[in-house]
Amino acid sequence: MTGSAHIITAVIGSGVLSLAWAIAQLGWVAGPAVLMAFSFITYFTSTMLADCYRSPDPVTGKRNYTYMEVVRSYLGGRKVQLCGLAQYGNLIGITIGYTITASISMVAVKRSNCFHKNGHNVKCATSNTPFMIVFAIIQIILSQIPNFHNLSWLSILAAVMSFCYASIGVGLSIAKAAGGGEHVRTTLTGVTVGVDVSGAEKIWRTFQAIGDIAFAYAYSTDTLKAGPPSENKAMKRASLVGVSTTTFFYMLCGCVGYAAFGNDAPGNFLTGFGFYEPFWLIDFANVCIAVHLVGAYQVFCQPIFQFVESQSAKRWPDNKFITGEYKIHVPCCGEFSINFLRLVWRTSYVVVTAVVAMIFPFFNDFLGLIGAASFWPLTVYFPIEMHIAQKKIPKFSFTWTWLKILSWACFVVSLVAAAGSVQGLIQSLKDFKPFQAP
């Protein structure tokens, strides 16, 4: 039960907000089909990963506590470094993406109140930059708390927030679709060439939509206490429940959102101004997004912080700048431990991610790029390669061949999704006006 809950809360995040736009690019046929395909691949490879938790035997072997440890046990060599590169690159990308998303949500609250007060045709242009700075300041403060990952209340709060805003989005979409109102156009193939977009735009947007769906399925496996039942069996059950629940929720968000907005679905249906009223509910949903992302940012950046700090401590154990802890008394809070490496390194990291977010403040394009870059190596390639190594599947056998075909097919999908997202980023940069919310 806890494993299933962790998967659901880890997977359902800000990616859900872009699914209506993604379905609009692909249409009623390809959209749900791509969602189901990603769902099946994610579940299938997660079962392989669950069997690799212990090595070499999935029930009695040595436990591996991190993804890199698993890769080291089964594959070794350069692949361990490639896994680390993919993992930490993905985490860095997600923290930048969360800075962008949180600032857009804070801007949306201000714009929502402006639209309510002055009418829907007013520009209500607001810069994202001040809100990114506010978000970065909050993260700099939170990042200084040692052992932040032990504060479980943060994860619980983030999970509640993610369900709140996703449910509000679905509810508002259902109300809009059921209410009739203005006619929206939906098609079997999504946005129409010559009507909504040019032929080239259709291709690039299709690729980007696939990247957005890949980001929405960014998968995180949990570690479970020893059985019975055995960890791999429990994890497979948890994966089935978690991925099934997530897919149902995604289908609801994507398809209901597309039914509500049609081919004009905004990139983020809570901030791209698909909804204007009730303004207070839009405000509440966007505050939920911002609060969720304050916590989620810390969850994703902590492994990066710990990695750099532990490696530095190993290399320079006698350096007081790296290992020294200094106690200071904080009024009303008691004693607080300060470490100079932690202070300088974590502050620098947050500042750099905020600066990159200011340069590329584009929600859909960035989500698609992160999804494309992380889906194939972490969700497909490594689980399949470790499964082949664990089961000692002979080269060029039937099972080996179709597993390799699946891996290469996903690699091609990731490449085209990355290409679509890079093209989208370039186009967005060309069209970008600094004081207009993307």
Side-chain angles (χ1 to χ4, degrees):
M1 188 182 291
T2 54
S4 302
H6 179 80
I7 291 165
I8 293 164
T9 54
V11 177
I12 294 178
S14 60
V16 76
L17 303 168
S18 68
L19 290 178
W21 180 88
I23 300 287
Q25 310 317 305
L26 300 169
W28 285 120
V29 178
V34 169
L35 262 174
M36 288 305 298
F38 273 95
S39 167
F40 171 76
I41 292 166
T42 301
Y43 171 67
F44 177 65
T45 55
S46 73
T47 60
M48 293 178 177
L49 205 54
D51 279 337
C52 295
Y53 177 54
R54 286 181 180 269
S55 60
D57 185 89
V59 178
T60 59
K62 178 181 77 76
R63 297 179 86 180
N64 297 294
Y65 292 95
T66 68
Y67 204 140
M68 284 178 72
E69 275 183 38
V70 179
V71 174
R72 186 176 285 110
S73 296
Y74 287 100
L75 304 176
R78 291 265 180 202
K79 288 179 179 175
V80 180
Q81 294 167 329
L82 286 172
C83 174
L85 191 66
Q87 265 198 299
Y88 289 110
N90 180 44
L91 293 174
I92 292 165
I94 288 173
T95 54
I96 295 167
Y98 281 1
T99 305
I100 296 167
T101 312
S103 70
I104 290 173
S105 294
M106 289 187 260
V107 164
V109 172
K110 192 171 179 181
R111 293 182 75 210
S112 172
N113 293 335
C114 173
F115 286 133
H116 178 71
K117 189 177 177 182
N118 302 312
H120 300 171
N121 297 321
V122 179
K123 267 195 172 182
C124 292
T126 307
S127 171
N128 288 34
T129 304
F131 294 97
M132 286 188 187
I133 293 168
V134 169
F135 185 80
I137 290 168
I138 293 168
Q139 295 303 340
I140 287 169
I141 295 166
L142 291 177
S143 295
Q144 300 311 315
I145 301 173
N147 302 318
F148 195 81
H149 55 280
N150 291 332
L151 301 178
S152 58
W153 61 268
L154 188 77
S155 292
I156 295 165
L157 180 65
V160 170
M161 293 296 106
S162 69
F163 269 106
C164 276
Y165 66 71
S167 301
I168 289 168
V170 171
L172 289 170
S173 295
I174 291 171
K176 184 176 171 66
E182 61 181 291
H183 175 69
V184 296
R185 188 168 49 84
T186 63
T187 58
L188 291 176
T189 55
V191 291
T192 309
V193 175
V195 179
D196 304 302
V197 290
S198 67
E201 282 178 323
K202 172 73 174 177
I203 293 168
W204 289 121
R205 284 189 179 198
T206 299
F207 292 167
Q208 191 186 324
I210 292 168
D212 282 6
I213 293 171
F215 177 82
Y217 272 105
Y219 187 67
S220 170
T221 50
D222 198 3
T223 52
L224 304 172
K225 62 184 180 182
S230 60
E231 296 100 332
N232 66 326
K233 284 185 180 176
M235 195 67 218
K236 285 177 185 178
R237 255 203 315 260
S239 295
L240 180 62
V241 174
V243 175
S244 300
T245 307
T246 300
T247 302
F248 172 74
F249 208 73
Y250 281 0
M251 280 288 188
L252 206 57
C253 284
C255 294
V256 173
Y258 183 40
F261 296 108
N263 290 347
D264 294 325
N268 177 332
F269 62 25
L270 286 175
T271 65
F273 270 86
F275 299 111
Y276 292 95
E277 301 294 341
F279 82 101
W280 57 269
L281 190 58
I282 312 301
D283 288 356
F284 177 69
N286 280 302
V287 168
C288 285
I289 295 171
V291 171
H292 169 227
L293 296 180
V294 164
Y297 183 102
Q298 284 298 314
V299 169
F300 283 98
C301 71
Q302 282 296 320
I304 305 167
F305 294 160
Q306 299 297 339
F307 176 76
V308 170
E309 287 159 18
S310 62
Q311 291 299 312
S312 299
K314 274 185 192 173
R315 191 158 184 179
W316 300 286
D318 300 322
N319 189 314
K320 292 298 178 188
F321 179 83
I322 292 168
T323 58
E325 293 283 343
Y326 304 94
K327 302 284 184 185
I328 61 166
H329 183 73
V330 181
C332 306
C333 298
E335 280 195 338
F336 187 76
S337 183
I338 288 283
N339 168 272
F340 289 123
L341 173 67
R342 187 163 61 233
L343 183 65
V344 174
W345 147 240
R346 295 188 181 194
T347 302
S348 302
Y349 178 85
V350 174
V351 169
V352 170
T353 55
V355 169
V356 174
M358 288 172 198
I359 298 168
F360 301 104
F362 313 111
F363 177 75
N364 280 75
D365 309 309
F366 211 90
L367 254 55
L369 188 59
I370 299 166
S374 62
F375 180 78
W376 177 71
L378 298 176
T379 308
V380 181
Y381 174 74
F382 285 117
I384 284 177
E385 290 299 309
M386 289 188 292
H387 177 75
I388 289 170
Q390 184 186 51
K391 301 296 181 187
K392 296 180 173 60
I393 298 170
K395 265 190 178 183
F396 306 111
S397 65
F398 174 76
T399 305
W400 184 92
T401 303
W402 77 259
L403 283 174
K404 287 288 186 178
I405 289 170
L406 174 64
S407 181
W408 279 103
C410 289
F411 176 64
V412 172
V413 167
S414 287
L415 277 184
V416 298
S421 298
V422 168
Q423 192 276 339
L425 275 173
I426 293 166
Q427 191 58 48
S428 297
L429 273 173
K430 286 179 183 174
D431 301 338
F432 182 51
K433 294 181 179 63
F435 290 98
Q436 182 177 313

